[in-house]
PDB file of all heavy atoms in Angstrom:
ATOM      1  N   GLY A   1      -9.969  38.166 -54.072  1.00 98.00           N
ATOM      2  CA  GLY A   1      -8.896  38.102 -53.091  1.00 98.00           C
ATOM      3  C   GLY A   1      -9.053  36.887 -52.197  1.00 98.00           C
ATOM      4  O   GLY A   1      -8.069  36.230 -51.825  1.00 98.00           O
ATOM      5  N   MET A   2     -10.306  36.548 -51.864  1.00 98.00           N
ATOM      6  CA  MET A   2     -10.565  35.375 -51.033  1.00 98.00           C
ATOM      7  C   MET A   2     -10.238  34.089 -51.794  1.00 98.00           C
ATOM      8  O   MET A   2      -9.752  33.106 -51.204  1.00 98.00           O
ATOM      9  CB  MET A   2     -12.016  35.362 -50.571  1.00 98.00           C
ATOM     10  CG  MET A   2     -12.265  34.463 -49.376  1.00 98.00           C
ATOM     11  SD  MET A   2     -11.420  35.033 -47.867  1.00 98.00           S
ATOM     12  CE  MET A   2     -12.512  36.344 -47.312  1.00 98.00           C
ATOM     13  N   LYS A   3     -10.488  34.072 -53.089  1.00 98.00           N
ATOM     14  CA  LYS A   3     -10.101  32.912 -53.904  1.00 98.00           C
ATOM     15  C   LYS A   3      -8.576  32.769 -53.904  1.00 98.00           C
ATOM     16  O   LYS A   3      -8.039  31.657 -53.860  1.00 98.00           O
ATOM     17  CB  LYS A   3     -10.623  33.076 -55.332  1.00 98.00           C
ATOM     18  CG  LYS A   3     -12.135  32.952 -55.467  1.00 98.00           C
ATOM     19  CD  LYS A   3     -12.562  33.210 -56.900  1.00 98.00           C
ATOM     20  CE  LYS A   3     -14.069  33.142 -57.067  1.00 98.00           C
ATOM     21  NZ  LYS A   3     -14.598  31.766 -56.941  1.00 98.00           N
ATOM     22  N   GLY A   4      -7.883  33.907 -53.964  1.00 98.00           N
ATOM     23  CA  GLY A   4      -6.426  33.867 -53.884  1.00 98.00           C
ATOM     24  C   GLY A   4      -5.964  33.364 -52.526  1.00 98.00           C
ATOM     25  O   GLY A   4      -5.015  32.581 -52.426  1.00 98.00           O
ATOM     26  N   ALA A   5      -6.658  33.798 -51.473  1.00 98.00           N
ATOM     27  CA  ALA A   5      -6.316  33.335 -50.124  1.00 98.00           C
ATOM     28  C   ALA A   5      -6.501  31.832 -50.006  1.00 98.00           C
ATOM     29  O   ALA A   5      -5.681  31.132 -49.412  1.00 98.00           O
ATOM     30  CB  ALA A   5      -7.179  34.060 -49.098  1.00 98.00           C
ATOM     31  N   LYS A   6      -7.580  31.330 -50.591  1.00 97.00           N
ATOM     32  CA  LYS A   6      -7.833  29.884 -50.555  1.00 97.00           C
ATOM     33  C   LYS A   6      -6.712  29.116 -51.248  1.00 97.00           C
ATOM     34  O   LYS A   6      -6.314  28.046 -50.790  1.00 97.00           O
ATOM     35  CB  LYS A   6      -9.174  29.573 -51.225  1.00 97.00           C
ATOM     36  CG  LYS A   6      -9.521  28.095 -51.271  1.00 97.00           C
ATOM     37  CD  LYS A   6     -10.943  27.865 -51.769  1.00 97.00           C
ATOM     38  CE  LYS A   6     -11.105  28.222 -53.222  1.00 97.00           C
ATOM     39  NZ  LYS A   6     -12.475  27.917 -53.713  1.00 97.00           N
ATOM     40  N   ALA A   7      -6.184  29.682 -52.322  1.00 97.00           N
ATOM     41  CA  ALA A   7      -5.124  29.015 -53.080  1.00 97.00           C
ATOM     42  C   ALA A   7      -3.804  28.969 -52.315  1.00 97.00           C
ATOM     43  O   ALA A   7      -3.072  27.979 -52.386  1.00 97.00           O
ATOM     44  CB  ALA A   7      -4.928  29.708 -54.427  1.00 97.00           C
ATOM     45  N   ILE A   8      -3.494  30.045 -51.582  1.00 97.00           N
ATOM     46  CA  ILE A   8      -2.175  30.100 -50.936  1.00 97.00           C
ATOM     47  C   ILE A   8      -2.191  29.664 -49.476  1.00 97.00           C
ATOM     48  O   ILE A   8      -1.135  29.369 -48.906  1.00 97.00           O
ATOM     49  CB  ILE A   8      -1.558  31.520 -51.026  1.00 97.00           C
ATOM     50  CG1 ILE A   8      -2.322  32.522 -50.152  1.00 97.00           C
ATOM     51  CG2 ILE A   8      -1.480  31.989 -52.466  1.00 97.00           C
ATOM     52  CD1 ILE A   8      -1.633  33.870 -50.045  1.00 97.00           C
ATOM     53  N   LEU A   9      -3.382  29.605 -48.848  1.00 97.00           N
ATOM     54  CA  LEU A   9      -3.428  29.328 -47.412  1.00 97.00           C
ATOM     55  C   LEU A   9      -2.782  27.996 -47.023  1.00 97.00           C
ATOM     56  O   LEU A   9      -2.070  27.940 -46.010  1.00 97.00           O
ATOM     57  CB  LEU A   9      -4.868  29.398 -46.896  1.00 97.00           C
ATOM     58  CG  LEU A   9      -5.027  29.426 -45.377  1.00 97.00           C
ATOM     59  CD1 LEU A   9      -4.296  30.618 -44.762  1.00 97.00           C
ATOM     60  CD2 LEU A   9      -6.505  29.469 -44.987  1.00 97.00           C
ATOM     61  N   PRO A  10      -2.967  26.910 -47.782  1.00 96.00           N
ATOM     62  CA  PRO A  10      -2.275  25.670 -47.401  1.00 96.00           C
ATOM     63  C   PRO A  10      -0.753  25.838 -47.356  1.00 96.00           C
ATOM     64  O   PRO A  10      -0.094  25.322 -46.443  1.00 96.00           O
ATOM     65  CB  PRO A  10      -2.703  24.678 -48.483  1.00 96.00           C
ATOM     66  CG  PRO A  10      -4.040  25.166 -48.921  1.00 96.00           C
ATOM     67  CD  PRO A  10      -3.917  26.663 -48.903  1.00 96.00           C
ATOM     68  N   SER A  11      -0.186  26.561 -48.331  1.00 96.00           N
ATOM     69  CA  SER A  11       1.257  26.790 -48.346  1.00 96.00           C
ATOM     70  C   SER A  11       1.681  27.700 -47.210  1.00 96.00           C
ATOM     71  O   SER A  11       2.747  27.526 -46.613  1.00 96.00           O
ATOM     72  CB  SER A  11       1.683  27.403 -49.692  1.00 96.00           C
ATOM     73  OG  SER A  11       1.420  26.514 -50.759  1.00 96.00           O
ATOM     74  N   VAL A  12       0.840  28.687 -46.898  1.00 96.00           N
ATOM     75  CA  VAL A  12       1.129  29.588 -45.776  1.00 96.00           C
ATOM     76  C   VAL A  12       1.129  28.806 -44.472  1.00 96.00           C
ATOM     77  O   VAL A  12       2.019  28.961 -43.622  1.00 96.00           O
ATOM     78  CB  VAL A  12       0.091  30.729 -45.723  1.00 96.00           C
ATOM     79  CG1 VAL A  12       0.198  31.507 -44.405  1.00 96.00           C
ATOM     80  CG2 VAL A  12       0.295  31.678 -46.899  1.00 96.00           C
ATOM     81  N   MET A  13       0.149  27.922 -44.292  1.00 95.00           N
ATOM     82  CA  MET A  13       0.059  27.139 -43.058  1.00 95.00           C
ATOM     83  C   MET A  13       1.198  26.123 -42.950  1.00 95.00           C
ATOM     84  O   MET A  13       1.598  25.743 -41.844  1.00 95.00           O
ATOM     85  CB  MET A  13      -1.282  26.417 -42.988  1.00 95.00           C
ATOM     86  CG  MET A  13      -2.454  27.342 -42.729  1.00 95.00           C
ATOM     87  SD  MET A  13      -2.360  28.120 -41.102  1.00 95.00           S
ATOM     88  CE  MET A  13      -3.899  29.034 -41.071  1.00 95.00           C
ATOM     89  N   ALA A  14       1.712  25.679 -44.071  1.00 94.00           N
ATOM     90  CA  ALA A  14       2.826  24.724 -44.061  1.00 94.00           C
ATOM     91  C   ALA A  14       4.152  25.398 -43.741  1.00 94.00           C
ATOM     92  O   ALA A  14       5.145  24.727 -43.444  1.00 94.00           O
ATOM     93  CB  ALA A  14       2.913  24.007 -45.405  1.00 94.00           C
ATOM     94  N   ASN A  15       4.180  26.740 -43.805  1.00 94.00           N
ATOM     95  CA  ASN A  15       5.375  27.522 -43.515  1.00 94.00           C
ATOM     96  C   ASN A  15       5.286  28.005 -42.064  1.00 94.00           C
ATOM     97  O   ASN A  15       4.416  28.808 -41.719  1.00 94.00           O
ATOM     98  CB  ASN A  15       5.450  28.712 -44.481  1.00 94.00           C
ATOM     99  CG  ASN A  15       6.683  29.568 -44.283  1.00 94.00           C
ATOM    100  OD1 ASN A  15       6.915  30.077 -43.197  1.00 94.00           O
ATOM    101  ND2 ASN A  15       7.452  29.758 -45.330  1.00 94.00           N
ATOM    102  N   ALA A  16       6.168  27.518 -41.200  1.00 92.00           N
ATOM    103  CA  ALA A  16       6.073  27.804 -39.764  1.00 92.00           C
ATOM    104  C   ALA A  16       6.060  29.302 -39.461  1.00 92.00           C
ATOM    105  O   ALA A  16       5.279  29.762 -38.611  1.00 92.00           O
ATOM    106  CB  ALA A  16       7.228  27.131 -39.023  1.00 92.00           C
ATOM    107  N   LEU A  17       6.888  30.081 -40.168  1.00 93.00           N
ATOM    108  CA  LEU A  17       6.948  31.518 -39.898  1.00 93.00           C
ATOM    109  C   LEU A  17       5.659  32.223 -40.305  1.00 93.00           C
ATOM    110  O   LEU A  17       5.100  33.021 -39.550  1.00 93.00           O
ATOM    111  CB  LEU A  17       8.148  32.134 -40.618  1.00 93.00           C
ATOM    112  CG  LEU A  17       9.532  31.736 -40.089  1.00 93.00           C
ATOM    113  CD1 LEU A  17      10.628  32.361 -40.941  1.00 93.00           C
ATOM    114  CD2 LEU A  17       9.689  32.159 -38.624  1.00 93.00           C
ATOM    115  N   LEU A  18       5.168  31.922 -41.524  1.00 93.00           N
ATOM    116  CA  LEU A  18       3.944  32.564 -41.989  1.00 93.00           C
ATOM    117  C   LEU A  18       2.724  32.072 -41.208  1.00 93.00           C
ATOM    118  O   LEU A  18       1.769  32.820 -41.003  1.00 93.00           O
ATOM    119  CB  LEU A  18       3.750  32.313 -43.482  1.00 93.00           C
ATOM    120  CG  LEU A  18       4.700  33.067 -44.420  1.00 93.00           C
ATOM    121  CD1 LEU A  18       4.433  32.688 -45.869  1.00 93.00           C
ATOM    122  CD2 LEU A  18       4.543  34.579 -44.243  1.00 93.00           C
ATOM    123  N   ARG A  19       2.766  30.824 -40.774  1.00 91.00           N
ATOM    124  CA  ARG A  19       1.661  30.277 -39.990  1.00 91.00           C
ATOM    125  C   ARG A  19       1.489  31.067 -38.698  1.00 91.00           C
ATOM    126  O   ARG A  19       0.372  31.386 -38.289  1.00 91.00           O
ATOM    127  CB  ARG A  19       1.918  28.803 -39.685  1.00 91.00           C
ATOM    128  CG  ARG A  19       0.769  28.128 -38.962  1.00 91.00           C
ATOM    129  CD  ARG A  19       0.947  26.625 -38.919  1.00 91.00           C
ATOM    130  NE  ARG A  19       2.113  26.196 -38.157  1.00 91.00           N
ATOM    131  CZ  ARG A  19       3.136  25.520 -38.639  1.00 91.00           C
ATOM    132  NH1 ARG A  19       3.169  25.188 -39.928  1.00 91.00           N
ATOM    133  NH2 ARG A  19       4.150  25.159 -37.868  1.00 91.00           N
ATOM    134  N   GLN A  20       2.607  31.382 -38.049  1.00 91.00           N
ATOM    135  CA  GLN A  20       2.545  32.148 -36.816  1.00 91.00           C
ATOM    136  C   GLN A  20       2.348  33.642 -37.071  1.00 91.00           C
ATOM    137  O   GLN A  20       1.891  34.372 -36.181  1.00 91.00           O
ATOM    138  CB  GLN A  20       3.820  31.917 -35.996  1.00 91.00           C
ATOM    139  CG  GLN A  20       3.984  30.480 -35.526  1.00 91.00           C
ATOM    140  CD  GLN A  20       2.794  29.977 -34.735  1.00 91.00           C
ATOM    141  OE1 GLN A  20       2.252  30.695 -33.901  1.00 91.00           O
ATOM    142  NE2 GLN A  20       2.366  28.737 -34.996  1.00 91.00           N
ATOM    143  N   ASP A  21       2.681  34.099 -38.266  1.00 93.00           N
ATOM    144  CA  ASP A  21       2.515  35.502 -38.640  1.00 93.00           C
ATOM    145  C   ASP A  21       1.052  35.932 -38.478  1.00 93.00           C
ATOM    146  O   ASP A  21       0.757  36.980 -37.903  1.00 93.00           O
ATOM    147  CB  ASP A  21       2.983  35.692 -40.086  1.00 93.00           C
ATOM    148  CG  ASP A  21       2.708  37.068 -40.634  1.00 93.00           C
ATOM    149  OD1 ASP A  21       3.568  37.946 -40.465  1.00 93.00           O
ATOM    150  OD2 ASP A  21       1.632  37.273 -41.243  1.00 93.00           O
ATOM    151  N   GLY A  22       0.140  35.126 -38.973  1.00 93.00           N
ATOM    152  CA  GLY A  22      -1.286  35.327 -38.725  1.00 93.00           C
ATOM    153  C   GLY A  22      -1.972  36.417 -39.513  1.00 93.00           C
ATOM    154  O   GLY A  22      -3.188  36.603 -39.405  1.00 93.00           O
ATOM    155  N   ARG A  23      -1.238  37.171 -40.339  1.00 96.00           N
ATOM    156  CA  ARG A  23      -1.870  38.290 -41.045  1.00 96.00           C
ATOM    157  C   ARG A  23      -2.906  37.842 -42.061  1.00 96.00           C
ATOM    158  O   ARG A  23      -3.946  38.492 -42.239  1.00 96.00           O
ATOM    159  CB  ARG A  23      -0.808  39.151 -41.724  1.00 96.00           C
ATOM    160  CG  ARG A  23      -0.017  40.028 -40.770  1.00 96.00           C
ATOM    161  CD  ARG A  23       0.957  40.909 -41.532  1.00 96.00           C
ATOM    162  NE  ARG A  23       1.968  40.114 -42.219  1.00 96.00           N
ATOM    163  CZ  ARG A  23       2.449  40.371 -43.433  1.00 96.00           C
ATOM    164  NH1 ARG A  23       1.977  41.401 -44.126  1.00 96.00           N
ATOM    165  NH2 ARG A  23       3.381  39.607 -43.972  1.00 96.00           N
ATOM    166  N   LEU A  24      -2.637  36.735 -42.740  1.00 97.00           N
ATOM    167  CA  LEU A  24      -3.590  36.287 -43.759  1.00 97.00           C
ATOM    168  C   LEU A  24      -4.895  35.828 -43.111  1.00 97.00           C
ATOM    169  O   LEU A  24      -5.983  36.170 -43.589  1.00 97.00           O
ATOM    170  CB  LEU A  24      -2.983  35.167 -44.598  1.00 97.00           C
ATOM    171  CG  LEU A  24      -3.884  34.629 -45.726  1.00 97.00           C
ATOM    172  CD1 LEU A  24      -4.294  35.750 -46.674  1.00 97.00           C
ATOM    173  CD2 LEU A  24      -3.168  33.515 -46.500  1.00 97.00           C
ATOM    174  N   ALA A  25      -4.799  35.067 -42.040  1.00 96.00           N
ATOM    175  CA  ALA A  25      -6.012  34.617 -41.350  1.00 96.00           C
ATOM    176  C   ALA A  25      -6.827  35.810 -40.858  1.00 96.00           C
ATOM    177  O   ALA A  25      -8.060  35.835 -40.993  1.00 96.00           O
ATOM    178  CB  ALA A  25      -5.646  33.701 -40.179  1.00 96.00           C
ATOM    179  N   LYS A  26      -6.153  36.805 -40.310  1.00 97.00           N
ATOM    180  CA  LYS A  26      -6.853  38.004 -39.841  1.00 97.00           C
ATOM    181  C   LYS A  26      -7.517  38.736 -40.996  1.00 97.00           C
ATOM    182  O   LYS A  26      -8.656  39.208 -40.884  1.00 97.00           O
ATOM    183  CB  LYS A  26      -5.884  38.934 -39.116  1.00 97.00           C
ATOM    184  CG  LYS A  26      -6.552  40.186 -38.536  1.00 97.00           C
ATOM    185  CD  LYS A  26      -5.553  41.064 -37.804  1.00 97.00           C
ATOM    186  CE  LYS A  26      -6.251  42.243 -37.131  1.00 97.00           C
ATOM    187  NZ  LYS A  26      -6.994  43.098 -38.090  1.00 97.00           N
ATOM    188  N   ALA A  27      -6.806  38.825 -42.130  1.00 98.00           N
ATOM    189  CA  ALA A  27      -7.360  39.511 -43.300  1.00 98.00           C
ATOM    190  C   ALA A  27      -8.592  38.790 -43.821  1.00 98.00           C
ATOM    191  O   ALA A  27      -9.548  39.425 -44.290  1.00 98.00           O
ATOM    192  CB  ALA A  27      -6.299  39.612 -44.393  1.00 98.00           C
ATOM    193  N   ILE A  28      -8.599  37.457 -43.759  1.00 98.00           N
ATOM    194  CA  ILE A  28      -9.748  36.670 -44.203  1.00 98.00           C
ATOM    195  C   ILE A  28     -10.967  36.978 -43.337  1.00 98.00           C
ATOM    196  O   ILE A  28     -12.069  37.233 -43.854  1.00 98.00           O
ATOM    197  CB  ILE A  28      -9.407  35.166 -44.158  1.00 98.00           C
ATOM    198  CG1 ILE A  28      -8.415  34.816 -45.280  1.00 98.00           C
ATOM    199  CG2 ILE A  28     -10.669  34.313 -44.283  1.00 98.00           C
ATOM    200  CD1 ILE A  28      -7.859  33.409 -45.182  1.00 98.00           C
ATOM    201  N   VAL A  29     -10.787  36.969 -42.028  1.00 98.00           N
ATOM    202  CA  VAL A  29     -11.903  37.251 -41.115  1.00 98.00           C
ATOM    203  C   VAL A  29     -12.372  38.691 -41.270  1.00 98.00           C
ATOM    204  O   VAL A  29     -13.583  38.969 -41.315  1.00 98.00           O
ATOM    205  CB  VAL A  29     -11.500  36.968 -39.660  1.00 98.00           C
ATOM    206  CG1 VAL A  29     -12.625  37.366 -38.701  1.00 98.00           C
ATOM    207  CG2 VAL A  29     -11.167  35.491 -39.478  1.00 98.00           C
ATOM    208  N   ASP A  30     -11.437  39.625 -41.361  1.00 98.00           N
ATOM    209  CA  ASP A  30     -11.801  41.034 -41.517  1.00 98.00           C
ATOM    210  C   ASP A  30     -12.608  41.261 -42.792  1.00 98.00           C
ATOM    211  O   ASP A  30     -13.590  42.013 -42.797  1.00 98.00           O
ATOM    212  CB  ASP A  30     -10.544  41.914 -41.545  1.00 98.00           C
ATOM    213  CG  ASP A  30      -9.871  42.032 -40.184  1.00 98.00           C
ATOM    214  OD1 ASP A  30     -10.488  41.617 -39.183  1.00 98.00           O
ATOM    215  OD2 ASP A  30      -8.725  42.519 -40.133  1.00 98.00           O
ATOM    216  N   ALA A  31     -12.203  40.597 -43.880  1.00 98.00           N
ATOM    217  CA  ALA A  31     -12.900  40.758 -45.161  1.00 98.00           C
ATOM    218  C   ALA A  31     -14.317  40.199 -45.079  1.00 98.00           C
ATOM    219  O   ALA A  31     -15.273  40.822 -45.563  1.00 98.00           O
ATOM    220  CB  ALA A  31     -12.124  40.069 -46.271  1.00 98.00           C
ATOM    221  N   ALA A  32     -14.464  39.031 -44.472  1.00 97.00           N
ATOM    222  CA  ALA A  32     -15.791  38.429 -44.330  1.00 97.00           C
ATOM    223  C   ALA A  32     -16.684  39.285 -43.434  1.00 97.00           C
ATOM    224  O   ALA A  32     -17.892  39.417 -43.674  1.00 97.00           O
ATOM    225  CB  ALA A  32     -15.668  37.016 -43.773  1.00 97.00           C
ATOM    226  N   THR A  33     -16.095  39.885 -42.415  1.00 97.00           N
ATOM    227  CA  THR A  33     -16.854  40.745 -41.502  1.00 97.00           C
ATOM    228  C   THR A  33     -17.299  42.018 -42.202  1.00 97.00           C
ATOM    229  O   THR A  33     -18.463  42.444 -42.077  1.00 97.00           O
ATOM    230  CB  THR A  33     -15.991  41.120 -40.283  1.00 97.00           C
ATOM    231  OG1 THR A  33     -15.535  39.933 -39.642  1.00 97.00           O
ATOM    232  CG2 THR A  33     -16.783  41.953 -39.286  1.00 97.00           C
ATOM    233  N   ARG A  34     -16.395  42.617 -42.938  1.00 96.00           N
ATOM    234  CA  ARG A  34     -16.657  43.913 -43.556  1.00 96.00           C
ATOM    235  C   ARG A  34     -17.668  43.832 -44.698  1.00 96.00           C
ATOM    236  O   ARG A  34     -18.547  44.685 -44.835  1.00 96.00           O
ATOM    237  CB  ARG A  34     -15.332  44.504 -44.061  1.00 96.00           C
ATOM    238  CG  ARG A  34     -15.411  45.948 -44.536  1.00 96.00           C
ATOM    239  CD  ARG A  34     -14.044  46.448 -44.975  1.00 96.00           C
ATOM    240  NE  ARG A  34     -13.579  45.758 -46.176  1.00 96.00           N
ATOM    241  CZ  ARG A  34     -12.660  44.812 -46.187  1.00 96.00           C
ATOM    242  NH1 ARG A  34     -12.093  44.428 -45.050  1.00 96.00           N
ATOM    243  NH2 ARG A  34     -12.290  44.240 -47.323  1.00 96.00           N
ATOM    244  N   THR A  35     -17.563  42.817 -45.536  1.00 96.00           N
ATOM    245  CA  THR A  35     -18.413  42.737 -46.724  1.00 96.00           C
ATOM    246  C   THR A  35     -19.812  42.201 -46.427  1.00 96.00           C
ATOM    247  O   THR A  35     -20.754  42.509 -47.147  1.00 96.00           O
ATOM    248  CB  THR A  35     -17.777  41.830 -47.787  1.00 96.00           C
ATOM    249  OG1 THR A  35     -17.626  40.508 -47.261  1.00 96.00           O
ATOM    250  CG2 THR A  35     -16.420  42.366 -48.224  1.00 96.00           C
ATOM    251  N   VAL A  36     -19.946  41.391 -45.385  1.00 93.00           N
ATOM    252  CA  VAL A  36     -21.214  40.720 -45.072  1.00 93.00           C
ATOM    253  C   VAL A  36     -21.770  40.085 -46.351  1.00 93.00           C
ATOM    254  O   VAL A  36     -22.952  40.217 -46.668  1.00 93.00           O
ATOM    255  CB  VAL A  36     -22.241  41.691 -44.454  1.00 93.00           C
ATOM    256  CG1 VAL A  36     -23.366  40.904 -43.771  1.00 93.00           C
ATOM    257  CG2 VAL A  36     -21.597  42.623 -43.459  1.00 93.00           C
ATOM    258  N   SER A  37     -20.911  39.412 -47.081  1.00 95.00           N
ATOM    259  CA  SER A  37     -21.264  38.793 -48.359  1.00 95.00           C
ATOM    260  C   SER A  37     -21.208  37.280 -48.211  1.00 95.00           C
ATOM    261  O   SER A  37     -20.187  36.717 -47.807  1.00 95.00           O
ATOM    262  CB  SER A  37     -20.279  39.253 -49.442  1.00 95.00           C
ATOM    263  OG  SER A  37     -20.310  38.405 -50.556  1.00 95.00           O
ATOM    264  N   THR A  38     -22.295  36.602 -48.553  1.00 96.00           N
ATOM    265  CA  THR A  38     -22.318  35.147 -48.442  1.00 96.00           C
ATOM    266  C   THR A  38     -21.303  34.486 -49.376  1.00 96.00           C
ATOM    267  O   THR A  38     -20.598  33.558 -48.957  1.00 96.00           O
ATOM    268  CB  THR A  38     -23.730  34.605 -48.697  1.00 96.00           C
ATOM    269  OG1 THR A  38     -24.604  35.117 -47.683  1.00 96.00           O
ATOM    270  CG2 THR A  38     -23.758  33.090 -48.633  1.00 96.00           C
ATOM    271  N   PRO A  39     -21.171  34.900 -50.661  1.00 97.00           N
ATOM    272  CA  PRO A  39     -20.139  34.295 -51.502  1.00 97.00           C
ATOM    273  C   PRO A  39     -18.727  34.470 -50.931  1.00 97.00           C
ATOM    274  O   PRO A  39     -17.904  33.558 -51.022  1.00 97.00           O
ATOM    275  CB  PRO A  39     -20.298  35.024 -52.846  1.00 97.00           C
ATOM    276  CG  PRO A  39     -21.724  35.404 -52.883  1.00 97.00           C
ATOM    277  CD  PRO A  39     -22.056  35.774 -51.467  1.00 97.00           C
ATOM    278  N   VAL A  40     -18.447  35.632 -50.343  1.00 97.00           N
ATOM    279  CA  VAL A  40     -17.135  35.848 -49.724  1.00 97.00           C
ATOM    280  C   VAL A  40     -16.953  34.899 -48.545  1.00 97.00           C
ATOM    281  O   VAL A  40     -15.895  34.277 -48.387  1.00 97.00           O
ATOM    282  CB  VAL A  40     -16.979  37.316 -49.271  1.00 97.00           C
ATOM    283  CG1 VAL A  40     -15.741  37.482 -48.381  1.00 97.00           C
ATOM    284  CG2 VAL A  40     -16.868  38.240 -50.482  1.00 97.00           C
ATOM    285  N   LEU A  41     -17.988  34.753 -47.720  1.00 97.00           N
ATOM    286  CA  LEU A  41     -17.902  33.861 -46.568  1.00 97.00           C
ATOM    287  C   LEU A  41     -17.737  32.408 -47.019  1.00 97.00           C
ATOM    288  O   LEU A  41     -16.981  31.646 -46.419  1.00 97.00           O
ATOM    289  CB  LEU A  41     -19.141  33.994 -45.694  1.00 97.00           C
ATOM    290  CG  LEU A  41     -19.125  33.102 -44.451  1.00 97.00           C
ATOM    291  CD1 LEU A  41     -18.128  33.629 -43.424  1.00 97.00           C
ATOM    292  CD2 LEU A  41     -20.508  32.983 -43.831  1.00 97.00           C
ATOM    293  N   GLN A  42     -18.448  32.026 -48.077  1.00 97.00           N
ATOM    294  CA  GLN A  42     -18.329  30.654 -48.578  1.00 97.00           C
ATOM    295  C   GLN A  42     -16.896  30.356 -49.014  1.00 97.00           C
ATOM    296  O   GLN A  42     -16.362  29.281 -48.730  1.00 97.00           O
ATOM    297  CB  GLN A  42     -19.304  30.439 -49.733  1.00 97.00           C
ATOM    298  CG  GLN A  42     -20.762  30.383 -49.288  1.00 97.00           C
ATOM    299  CD  GLN A  42     -21.744  30.427 -50.442  1.00 97.00           C
ATOM    300  OE1 GLN A  42     -21.454  30.959 -51.510  1.00 97.00           O
ATOM    301  NE2 GLN A  42     -22.930  29.875 -50.238  1.00 97.00           N
ATOM    302  N   GLU A  43     -16.281  31.307 -49.698  1.00 98.00           N
ATOM    303  CA  GLU A  43     -14.884  31.132 -50.100  1.00 98.00           C
ATOM    304  C   GLU A  43     -13.979  31.085 -48.873  1.00 98.00           C
ATOM    305  O   GLU A  43     -13.003  30.322 -48.836  1.00 98.00           O
ATOM    306  CB  GLU A  43     -14.451  32.274 -51.027  1.00 98.00           C
ATOM    307  CG  GLU A  43     -15.080  32.265 -52.403  1.00 98.00           C
ATOM    308  CD  GLU A  43     -14.582  31.126 -53.277  1.00 98.00           C
ATOM    309  OE1 GLU A  43     -13.522  30.528 -52.979  1.00 98.00           O
ATOM    310  OE2 GLU A  43     -15.255  30.823 -54.276  1.00 98.00           O
TER     311      GLU A  43
END
């Protein structure tokens, strides 16, 4: 899922509405916090 986030995040950030939406950025941080996984954090 984090690899998918990496692929779409530039397009999300380029979209003014989705950029301000903020759900993807929050999901990325929540996932890294929850898993405590170095590969997840690296992605």
Side-chain angles (χ1 to χ4, degrees):
M2 199 66 79
K3 290 177 182 289
K6 179 172 68 177
I8 69 171
L9 193 59
S11 297
V12 168
M13 288 295 184
N15 182 303
L17 291 177
L18 288 178
R19 184 169 64 241
Q20 296 305 318
D21 173 89
R23 285 183 296 141
L24 181 57
K26 183 179 185 301
I28 289 171
V29 176
D30 288 349
T33 304
R34 189 178 67 256
T35 61
V36 197
S37 162
T38 297
V40 169
L41 181 72
Q42 289 169 334
E43 290 290 342

